[in-house]
Amino acid sequence: MFVKNLKTDITWAVTEEHGARLLRTDEFEEVEAPKPKRAPAKKSESDESEK
């Protein structure tokens, strides 16, 4: 499960048991799995110079 710390805005992946404990406080809320941030693959300059 995923929980978000409302003070720091950081999302954590935690076990169900740990998440249940965290959700008892006002500092966390359960959230959906975050979408992975995918950056386009870039060729480094060293790759180009080896050709």
Side-chain angles (χ1 to χ4, degrees):
M1 82 184 303
F2 292 88
V3 294
K4 181 177 180 179
N5 183 317
L6 299 173
K7 289 185 178 181
T8 63
D9 206 36
I10 296 174
T11 300
W12 299 91
V14 296
T15 63
E16 294 290 327
E17 183 181 347
H18 191 179
R21 268 187 264 143
L22 292 173
L23 292 173
R24 290 185 203 141
T25 70
D26 292 336
E27 295 181 25
F28 292 88
E29 71 177 5
E30 186 172 1
V31 295
E32 295 295 318
K35 303 278 188 275
K37 297 177 183 175
R38 300 187 69 183
K42 295 181 181 178
K43 289 189 176 184
S44 65
E45 292 178 18
S46 61
D47 290 344
E48 306 239 345
S49 63
E50 293 176 7
K51 292 182 179 177

